[in-house]
Amino acid sequence: MTAPLVEARGVRKTFGHNEVLQGIDLQVDVGEVVCLIGPSGSGKSTFLRCINHLERIDGGTLTVDGEHVGYRMHDDKLYELREDEVAERRAKIGMVFQRFNLFGHMTAERNVMEAPMSVLGLSKEQARREARELLTRVGLAERMHAYPHELSGGQQQRVAIARALAMKPQLMLFDEPTSALDPELVGEVLDVMRELAREGMTMIVVTHEMSFARDVADRVIFMDGGVVVEQGPAADVIGAPRHARTREFLGKVG
Ligand code: ADP
Ligand code: MG
């Protein structure tokens, strides 16, 4: 038995008077692919953002690889880490958003080279070598020198995935990575994610793509109103949901 890579216990998050996460318990093991589904506003993005400390939590504990995200434990108390310490931990967690967030003034290759050079201290040659390997892996060997505006949404999203992988993350977080794409471009991005899952990457994927969840997820988690309503194998949660809220949601997303 190895320790879970991600462990959330009673995670709470409040914005003003709005308790968006009302005690989330969740474990993700190394190599596991978890799909997070649920209606808009249920707290899925907030929870992902808590995992890499883009949001601080107001209650409970959240660890990645045994370390408190954003905090250090001392005499049973948690102390927030300095920004540079947070950045160091965050570097082990890749995140891909709905919008591609590429640097518009840099080529695909440059986008992928940037963080390894500035954060990991790779030489330009090494960073370029690795960027080329990664862009080839996501099917963009021919488009390395293109700028984001010259690429389709699906190609941009694949660059974003390559850019996250360039940091050699232990964990990849995806927040509706295909929601902003034209339907015909969704498949090429899901294929890259499917391959990544097959290679053993630990992934938490917020998605409305039920067929992807069914095929790829080891576990599906249905969230609603800031709580985990049910979780289990896709065949159960999507195929035979136990809760009325899950059934209602699945009826809407098809
Ligand atoms: P989901 O990703 O499931 O659609 P979110 O995590 O984005 O849900 O949002 C959950 C709730 O938290 C929503 O009611 C949203 O309006 C609120 N929320 C999210 N981010 C903020 C913020 N920065 N400030 C205030 N409210 C927020
Ligand atoms: Mg969201």
Side-chain angles (χ1 to χ4, degrees):
M1 282 284 287
T2 52
L5 185 59
V6 180
E7 185 159 36
R9 291 180 193 234
V11 169
R12 294 181 177 274
K13 173 70 190 175
T14 306
F15 290 115
H17 296 293
N18 187 6
E19 191 171 51
V20 171
L21 301 178
Q22 305 186 359
I24 301 285
D25 295 306
L26 183 68
Q27 295 192 347
V28 181
D29 290 329
V30 173
E32 208 182 3
V33 177
V34 168
C35 282
L36 203 51
I37 63 172
S40 174
S42 56
K44 305 180 300 297
S45 295
T46 302
F47 182 63
L48 279 197
R49 292 167 59 79
C50 288
I51 294 176
N52 66 2
H53 203 59
L54 289 172
E55 301 285 356
R56 51 168 75 86
I57 63 178
D58 300 314
T61 59
L62 186 47
T63 58
V64 175
D65 197 20
E67 290 184 322
H68 289 273
V69 180
Y71 303 89
R72 170 201 341 275
M73 180 80 97
H74 185 72
D75 290 341
D76 269 357
K77 280 210 195 89
L78 291 176
Y79 296 90
E80 191 155 19
L81 297 176
R82 291 194 316 265
E83 195 48 45
D84 59 323
E85 297 170 309
V86 173
E88 197 176 300
R89 291 195 184 177
R90 197 180 280 149
K92 300 182 205 162
I93 304 172
M95 186 150 184
V96 176
F97 301 88
Q98 184 172 338
R99 294 272 161 202
F100 326 116
N101 306 107
L102 296 176
F103 303 119
H105 62 292
M106 294 181 189
T107 62
E109 180 183 86
R110 264 282 163 182
N111 264 279
V112 179
M113 291 167 65
E114 191 55 30
M117 283 165 47
S118 65
V119 181
L120 303 180
L122 259 61
S123 70
K124 200 168 178 177
E125 292 67 36
Q126 183 67 19
R128 177 167 287 132
R129 212 165 21 243
E130 294 188 10
R132 291 185 172 173
E133 271 172 35
L134 283 166
L135 286 166
T136 303
R137 216 167 120 192
V138 300
L140 292 173
E142 314 297 315
R143 305 297 281 142
M144 309 227 187
H145 302 298
Y147 285 86
H149 74 268
E150 301 170 320
L151 298 171
S152 73
Q155 291 173 330
Q156 288 183 53
Q157 198 60 313
R158 287 185 282 146
V159 175
I161 294 172
R163 189 176 60 171
L165 292 175
M167 294 297 286
K168 303 186 174 68
Q170 294 177 294
L171 169 68
M172 285 286 286
L173 308 175
F174 293 88
D175 194 354
E176 299 198 33
T178 60
S179 293
L181 298 177
D182 292 332
E184 74 273 20
L185 303 177
V186 168
E188 65 192 54
V189 173
L190 294 181
D191 285 347
V192 167
M193 293 167 63
R194 199 170 269 138
E195 181 60 21
L196 203 52
R198 211 185 50 78
E199 288 165 8
M201 177 62 76
T202 310
M203 297 164 53
I204 304 179
V205 183
V206 175
T207 186
H208 294 297
E209 296 290 335
M210 293 304 139
S211 61
F212 176 83
R214 225 184 244 117
D215 294 350
V216 182
D218 296 302
R219 192 149 45 97
V220 172
I221 295 179
F222 174 69
M223 269 178 76
D224 193 12
V227 298
V228 172
V229 175
E230 69 177 290
Q231 59 172 303
D236 296 350
V237 176
I238 299 176
R242 285 178 293 127
H243 290 263
R245 281 150 90 185
T246 318
R247 283 196 289 273
E248 189 192 342
F249 171 73
L250 291 170
K252 283 179 191 150
V253 296

